């Protein structure tokens, strides 16, 4: 294996220090001895392939070595210090940057994923090679995904599509992005993928003949000019065709641009000269010309795109770019690598990575993993609009952005003082959706009271969202701190505890550290301005209380309805599978708005004359009723009672024959019963199915929902809470 590897490495770059690479190969091979992949082959085959792909991208030898060793710290006995001692700190830092966080325990899979990504982005901001290794690592794993279970294949493919595809896109590495997308489609919708492959193959001969006709006609016109050029057909990737068919509701036969013509030339002047020849020869389609040379994409992509009506009246796309632009389009940030060939242009590389540093800066305040993941996806997906300042500067923003997003992109002070906006000379509302080509003029006032919380409902960019939150955090810190403290005290009282019982300094300090705040005041302030939710704090404090007291005792407060009924210490069980603390033989009903089942966090609501209604703690009807606090009482599930409960779930899927039958079969195999069913179809050829299932706990419900998620064509599965 070593001889083969070295031969290929030499082909990519004969100037590598082969002695270091051979040493790393032998070290990695020995470290992974006895480890095997799902396919049955030696585990070290994977790092070797990762190193080869990195060499193909023409990266430096330290990156190749880190590729060979990228799983050593994570999966073997060797540590960061061992790698540093053998191969130097540079290689060790690269390997550590790719290594997942395994030393810490996380409450949810989402929290673990968020923290691993946060670590990776921090490492990548210091050295972009970290993410290049990670992308290539994921690429080889996706190429060999067939040995995983069906559920794991789909999970990995979805994660790749949501996180790694947009990262590759932001770094401009289209060569990896396109392969990712096609591989993901193969596992997310295998039937759709192979059907598409077959249809494209049938049209190949017809398509090639048409491309040859177009290129021969264009070459005749180019011969009269002194251009150095290359023309060839570029096949459209399967995922790109699939997206058009699904989201634009087109049949395969309605998609004409299965192939584009690409023209590569020596210099910028020739790009525009050839564009003129193309538009003279064939009629351009209005609105389909894009000049990414004058306005490059944020991932450094530059090219001219135009769609024209060609021979036989068929439209086709032509892309025109220089050789250097093409290299950047294929390899992105790797094409600009600052360590390559001894170059060290720090300033140039920093400009190209400015978006990454901004991304990290905007997200530094995000403690909630769900919020971090949502913000990350917004930043990574690059559907963009290009708008202009009154001076003619080009500003790129996420699609759907508003004048407020534009204002904060210019400067946080402009956003904070914004009172209005003009688009193309016309006054527009602040939630107006911007379009490419708009000229934006922001109206500001020094007398402005600052941003409105309502702006958070319509701004699109995470930069704007975070700047608005920062303003409220900074300008109203005292107010937020006091508000957060009051909210915490009120919630503690609502759940039957006094301030002294639950909000002990040592417990708050532990929670504060877990949520990564510097002090308790910062924790209060974050609760006050909405940075974190009460349900991220209270359950942790209750755990400390239970550990100390062994059992939960509600506070006695004659002014509180709960305290008044809690004077009776009986704490006996009801016949509904629920214990109401301090009350015996009381009527218990389950709220239809949230349909709680065992496993859910619950709370009781004391009604007038109808006993206690049990709600989920996160039920909107409870959360939004500020006057309900005095009527709430502690309840808990009776683990000894085996009672069935109703839970409603909603499934959104692409409509196809037999899907409902498959679902009912799954429910039957799970030994569960359906009590109600409602299905409807939409104009988008989607089917929405609401099922009410009789279950005994949330675990049963979760397993069933996961089974539905693994079904072909299923887009979303969620529990319904009205």
């Amino acid at each position: 294996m070593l001889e083969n590897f070295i031969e290929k490495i030499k082909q990519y770059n004969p100037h590598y220090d082969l002695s270091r690479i051979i040493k790393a190969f032998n070290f990695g091979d020995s470290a992974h001895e006895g480890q095997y992949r799902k396919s049955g082959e030696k585990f070290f085959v994977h790092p070797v392939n990762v190193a080869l792909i990195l060499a193909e991208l023409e990266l430096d030898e330290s990156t190749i070595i880190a590729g060979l060793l990228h799983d050593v710290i994570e999966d073997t006995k060797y540590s960061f210090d061992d790698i540093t001692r053998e191969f130097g700190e540079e290689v060790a830092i690269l390997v550590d940057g790719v290594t997942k966080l395994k030393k810490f325990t996380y409450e949810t899979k989402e929290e673990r994923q968020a923290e691993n990504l946060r670590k990776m982005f921090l490492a990548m901001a210091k050295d972009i090679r970290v993410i290049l290794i990670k992308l290539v690592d994921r690429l080889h794993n996706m190429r060999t995904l067939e040995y995983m279970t069906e559920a794991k294949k789909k999970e990995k493919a979805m994660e790749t599509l949501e996180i790694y595809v947009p990262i590759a896109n932001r770094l401009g590495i289209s060569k990896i992005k396109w392969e990712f997308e096609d591989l993901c489609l193969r596992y997310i919708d295998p039937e759709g993928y192979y059907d598409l492959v077959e249809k494209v193959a049938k049209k190949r001969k017809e398509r090639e003949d048409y491309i040859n006709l177009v290129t021969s006609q264009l070459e005749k016109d180019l011969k009269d000019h002194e251009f150095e050029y290359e023309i060839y057909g570029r096949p459209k990737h399967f995922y790109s065709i699939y997206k058009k068919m699904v989201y634009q509701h087109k049949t395969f036969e309605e998609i004409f641009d299965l192939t584009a013509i690409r023209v590569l030339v020596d210099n910028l002047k020739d790009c525009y000269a050839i564009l003129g020849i193309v538009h003279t020869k064939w009629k351009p389609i209005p609105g389909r010309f894009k000049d990414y040379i004058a306005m490059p994409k944020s991932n450094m992509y530059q090219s001219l795109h135009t769609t024209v009506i060609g021979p036989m009246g068929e439209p086709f796309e032509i892309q025109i770019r220089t050789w250097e632009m093409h290299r950047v389009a294929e390899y992105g940030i790797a094409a600009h690598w600052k360590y390559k060939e001894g170059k060290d242009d720090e300033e140039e590389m920093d400009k190209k990575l400015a978006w990454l540093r901004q991304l990290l800066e905007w997200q530094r305040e995000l403690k909630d993993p769900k919020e971090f993941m949502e913000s990350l996806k917004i930043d990574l997906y690059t559907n963009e609009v290009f708008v202009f300042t009154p001076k003619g500067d080009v500003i790129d923003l996420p699609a759907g952005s508003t004048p407020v997003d534009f204002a904060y992109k210019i400067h946080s002070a402009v956003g904070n003082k914004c009172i209005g906006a003009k688009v193309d000379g016309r006054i527009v509302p602040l939630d107006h959706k911007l379009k490419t080509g708009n000229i934006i003029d922001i109206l500001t006032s020094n007398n402005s009271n600052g941003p409105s919380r309502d702006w958070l409902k319509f701004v699109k960019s995470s930069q704007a969202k975070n700047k608005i939150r920062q303003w409220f955090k900074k300008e109203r810190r005292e107010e937020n701190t006091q508000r957060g403290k009051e909210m915490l005290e009120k919630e503690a009282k609502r759940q039957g505890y006094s301030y002294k019982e639950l909000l002990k300094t040592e417990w708050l300090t532990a929670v504060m550290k877990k949520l990564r705040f510097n002090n308790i005041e910062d924790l209060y302030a974050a609760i006050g301005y909405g940075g974190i939710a009460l349900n991220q704090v209270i359950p942790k404090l209750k755990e400390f209380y239970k550990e100390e007291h062994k059992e939960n005792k509600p506070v006695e407060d004659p002014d509180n309805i709960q305290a008044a009924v809690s004077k009776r210490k009986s704490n006996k069980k009801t016949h509904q599978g629920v214990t109401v603390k301090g009350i015996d033989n009381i009527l218990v009903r389950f709220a239809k708005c949230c349909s709680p089942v065992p496993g859910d966090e619950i709370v009781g609501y004391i009604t007038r004359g109808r006993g206690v209604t049990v709600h989920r703690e996160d039920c909107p009807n409870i959360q939004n009723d500020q006057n309900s606090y005095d009527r709430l009482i502690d309840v808990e599930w009776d683990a000894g009672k085996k009672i069935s409960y109703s839970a409603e779930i909603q499934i959104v899927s692409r409509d196809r024959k037999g899907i409902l039958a498959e679902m009912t079969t799954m429910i039957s195999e799970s030994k569960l019963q359906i009590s109600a069913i409602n299905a409807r179809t939409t104009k988008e050829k989607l089917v929405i199915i609401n099922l009410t299932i009789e279950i005994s706990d949330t675990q049963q419900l979760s397993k069933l929902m996961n089974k539905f998620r693994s079904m072909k064509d299923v887009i979303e599965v969620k529990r319904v809470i009205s």
Side-chain angles (χ1 to χ4, degrees), residues 272-335:
Y272 289 98
I274 289 176
L275 177 68
I277 292 169
V278 168
H279 281 181
T280 303
K281 187 171 186 62
W282 295 297
K283 187 176 181 179
I285 297 176
R288 295 296 299 272
F289 169 63
K290 293 172 184 173
D291 187 344
Y292 292 120
I293 293 178
M295 291 189 292
K297 290 186 178 183
S298 56
N299 63 2
M300 303 173 290
Y301 178 87
Q302 288 184 290
S303 185
L304 297 176
H305 290 195
T306 186
T307 303
V308 297
I309 303 295
M312 298 178 287
E314 285 197 22
F316 69 93
E317 185 184 59
I318 292 187
Q319 299 176 356
I320 308 165
R321 63 180 71 148
T322 66
W323 295 97
E324 176 60 22
M325 289 173 191
H326 179 61
R327 196 167 69 91
V328 173
E330 292 283 302
Y331 296 104
I333 201 77

Side-chain angles (χ1 to χ4, degrees), residues 31 70 95 103 205 335 693:
H70 76 271
V95 173
K103 295 176 184 176
K205 180 69 171 67
I693 315 290

Side-chain angles (χ1 to χ4, degrees), residues 387-446:
V387 295
F388 296 91
T389 68
K391 292 182 179 179
D393 296 325
V394 180
I395 303 294
D396 62 295
L397 294 165
S401 289
T402 66
V404 176
D405 293 283
F406 176 89
Y408 279 103
K409 186 70 181 269
I410 299 300
H411 197 279
S412 57
V414 176
N416 291 337
K417 293 179 182 179
C418 173
I419 58 168
K422 288 182 180 179
V423 173
D424 299 334
R426 182 172 59 89
I427 295 284
V428 297
L430 289 177
D431 61 355
H432 175 82
K433 297 285 188 293
L434 302 179
K435 295 178 181 176
T436 293
N438 286 156
I439 300 171
I440 319 299
D441 189 5
I442 299 297
L443 309 176
T444 61
S445 169
N446 289 328

Side-chain angles (χ1 to χ4, degrees), residues 104-119:
F104 304 98
T105 56
Y106 298 101
E107 292 182 5
T108 64
K109 182 180 177 182
E110 193 167 36
E111 187 177 342
R112 184 174 67 248
Q113 183 192 34
E115 290 309 310
N116 278 322
L117 285 168
R118 205 190 292 265
K119 179 199 173 189

Side-chain angles (χ1 to χ4, degrees), residues 611-627:
V612 172
T613 304
V614 179
H615 290 261
R616 284 174 54 165
E617 273 196 357
D618 58 357
C619 175
N621 290 338
I622 292 294
Q623 297 275 353
N624 298 333
D625 186 359
Q626 298 298 318
N627 298 319

Side-chain angles (χ1 to χ4, degrees), residues 169-415:
N169 191 34
R170 283 304 297 259
L171 295 175
I173 313 173
S174 57
K175 191 177 178 70
I176 289 179
K177 171 187 174 273
W178 290 332
E179 188 175 351
F180 267 153
E181 288 178 332
D182 285 354
L183 286 167
C184 290
L185 177 59
R186 179 177 155 192
Y187 295 110
I188 292 169
D189 184 1
E191 188 177 317
Y193 173 79
Y194 287 112
D195 180 55
L196 196 54
V197 170
E198 187 180 336
K199 285 177 177 174
V200 170
K202 283 180 181 176
K203 275 205 167 191
R204 182 173 290 123
K205 180 69 171 67
E206 177 188 329
R207 197 169 65 249
E208 287 174 352
D209 290 343
Y210 188 72
I211 291 299
N212 291 335
L213 174 64
V214 170
T215 52
S216 62
Q217 288 188 9
L218 183 56
E219 282 181 327
K220 283 180 186 177
D221 287 14
L222 296 181
K223 280 177 183 175
D224 298 334
H225 302 79
E226 295 181 358
F227 292 129
E228 288 291 329
Y229 65 86
E230 180 182 331
I231 305 178
Y232 60 92
R234 179 192 67 82
K236 204 170 188 70
H237 293 271
F238 295 123
Y239 185 73
S240 182
I241 302 169
Y242 180 86
K243 274 204 303 186
K244 279 197 171 184
M245 290 171 67
V246 172
Y247 298 115
Q248 296 180 20
H249 311 295
K250 290 186 175 182
T251 65
F252 179 76
E253 289 69 28
E254 290 175 311
I255 298 174
F256 297 105
D257 56 340
L258 293 178
T259 307
I261 305 296
R262 185 172 286 153
V263 185
L264 304 181
V265 294
D266 283 339
N267 55 59
L268 188 64
K269 183 180 72 174
D270 290 350
C271 290
Y272 289 98
I274 289 176
L275 177 68
I277 292 169
V278 168
H279 281 181
T280 303
K281 187 171 186 62
W282 295 297
K283 187 176 181 179
I285 297 176
R288 295 296 299 272
F289 169 63
K290 293 172 184 173
D291 187 344
Y292 292 120
I293 293 178
M295 291 189 292
K297 290 186 178 183
S298 56
N299 63 2
M300 303 173 290
Y301 178 87
Q302 288 184 290
S303 185
L304 297 176
H305 290 195
T306 186
T307 303
V308 297
I309 303 295
M312 298 178 287
E314 285 197 22
F316 69 93
E317 185 184 59
I318 292 187
Q319 299 176 356
I320 308 165
R321 63 180 71 148
T322 66
W323 295 97
E324 176 60 22
M325 289 173 191
H326 179 61
R327 196 167 69 91
V328 173
E330 292 283 302
Y331 296 104
I333 201 77
H336 290 274
W337 185 239
K338 63 182 174 182
Y339 296 113
K340 196 185 293 182
E341 298 170 4
K343 294 177 183 174
D344 192 4
D345 192 348
E346 292 276 355
E347 189 177 342
E348 184 64 23
M349 184 57 68
D350 284 346
K351 285 179 185 175
K352 297 181 193 309
L353 294 179
W355 68 270
L356 172 61
R357 286 173 174 69
Q358 280 185 329
L359 182 149
L360 289 167
E361 183 64 34
W362 301 335
Q363 294 175 352
R364 190 167 290 160
E365 301 295 327
L366 301 181
K367 310 292 180 183
D368 184 355
K370 286 184 181 177
E371 195 176 353
F372 172 79
M373 293 299 292
E374 178 192 342
S375 179
L376 181 64
K377 288 173 186 177
I378 290 171
D379 283 322
L380 289 177
Y381 281 101
T382 54
N383 289 333
E384 295 170 312
V385 291
F386 296 92
V387 295
F388 296 91
T389 68
K391 292 182 179 179
D393 296 325
V394 180
I395 303 294
D396 62 295
L397 294 165
S401 289
T402 66
V404 176
D405 293 283
F406 176 89
Y408 279 103
K409 186 70 181 269
I410 299 300
H411 197 279
S412 57
V414 176

Side-chain angles (χ1 to χ4, degrees), residues 2 107 138 212 397 412 484 523 578 611 704:
L2 176 59
E107 292 182 5
R138 177 54 66 106
N212 291 335
L397 294 165
S412 57
L523 175 66
V578 168
L704 182 62

